[in-house]
DNA sequence: TTTCTTGCAAAACATTTGCAAATCG
DNA sequence: CGATTTGCAAATGTTTTGCAAGAAA
């Protein structure tokens, strides 16, 4: 939790540059492609580190490998059941955070995911 | 997609009996405990089969292993960041499914997950 | 019999960890 | 220098697959 080293900065910037909710492997590949020497484990561990720092989010979706998102503004996701594509949905979802009967649970974060068929997959 | 065999029935009933959103391993262990002979791969594959049939759901949460839920009625989940406990939240969440700007995306399923601190973890 | 399902073990894939070397402050 | 971070490889955990044997239709 101490310093933003060169590697951490690079991974964070890579995340902030992209909007494809990448897996650790995708981040690793894209950094490797820039002829930058880095280890896979470092990418994994750094992504978790950045999640713990609150600089990126780990998405609440079931996926064989974890997916991360550097977009911290409130938004939700559309996932196509057919092609697997994942799109941002930035319109605010009207959820009242003062919903009842939480039995003392303190909500820090709400995630909303829509699953269905994207326009392309509906038309075929 | 054809028949509800003895194994499938047993796994489905095990799922319907419990409310702990188990992993495949948890289902396997609990069936094994009843001295019933079954293979781990069969449990894995059967759970996916039941998901595809629409008889159970695979939850949209990030977790090291997939979690399943036989409760098909509309509800959402509270997950404690501290103890990891996962609770059902059955009050309906007022999301208008006619939300705008979906660009032709057909929504079939909405999942809502609250992360935060449960009552027990707040008090210590 | 013909088709579908299961068990098993191995393969494939995802994640975590220990430790020595490198880097940071 | 002392503390933290990284690379590497190995350990661990999860999911998928191929195929022979078994069960169902």
């Amino acid at each position: 939790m101490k310093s933003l080293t060169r590697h951490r900065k690079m991974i964070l910037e890579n995340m902030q540059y992209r909007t494809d909710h990448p897996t650790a492997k995708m981040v690793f590949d894209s950094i490797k492609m820039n002829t930058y020497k880095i280890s896979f484990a470092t990418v994994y561990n750094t992504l978790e580190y950045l999640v713990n720092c609150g600089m990126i989010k780990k998405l609440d979706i079931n996926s064989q490998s974890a997916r991360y998102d550097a977009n911290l503004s409130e938004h939700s996701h559309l996932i196509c059941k057919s092609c697997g594509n994942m799109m941002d949905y930035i319109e605010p979802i009207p959820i009242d955070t003062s919903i009842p009967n939480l039995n003392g649970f303190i909500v820090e974060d709400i995630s909303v995911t829509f699953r269905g068929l994207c326009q392309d997959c509906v038309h075929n």
Side-chain angles (χ1 to χ4, degrees), chain A:
Chain A
M1 303 286 201
K2 304 297 158 43
S3 64
L4 197 61
T5 64
R6 207 155 43 101
H7 280 182
R8 289 177 180 169
K9 196 153 174 284
M10 164 154 303
I11 291 170
L12 179 59
E13 281 169 0
N14 185 284
M15 282 296 306
Q16 286 168 342
Y17 176 73
R18 56 203 298 171
T19 58
D20 58 350
H21 320 94
T23 62
K25 177 140 200 337
M26 289 161 75
V27 174
F28 174 70
D29 287 345
S30 110
I31 288 177
K32 260 322 223 346
M33 201 163 296
N34 299 334
T35 61
Y36 192 83
K37 184 185 175 192
I38 198 168
S39 146
F40 196 27
T42 300
V43 174
Y44 253 101
N45 295 333
T46 300
L47 286 169
E48 285 304 308
Y49 164 87
L50 293 172
V51 168
N52 289 332
C53 293
M55 306 183 83
I56 63 175
K57 278 188 170 187
K58 190 173 193 169
L59 296 182
D60 248 320
I61 56 166
N62 77 65
S63 167
Q64 52 205 14
S65 36
R67 306 196 75 118
Y68 301 88
D69 193 348
N71 180 356
L72 300 179
S73 63
E74 195 178 310
H75 67 288
S76 47
H77 296 101
L78 305 174
I79 302 176
C80 179
K81 286 182 178 179
S82 173
C83 66
N85 246 21
M86 187 168 171
M87 291 144 282
D88 283 334
Y89 180 73
I90 59 170
E91 306 281 337
I93 304 290
I95 291 184
D96 185 354
T97 47
S98 62
I99 49 178
N101 298 339
L102 282 168
N103 286 324
F105 191 97
I106 307 294
V107 175
E108 291 176 2
D109 203 74
I110 305 181
S111 90
V112 179
T113 305
F114 299 88
R115 287 191 182 262
L117 293 174
C118 72
Q119 196 170 35
D120 289 350
C121 290
V122 170
H123 296 145
N124 62 30

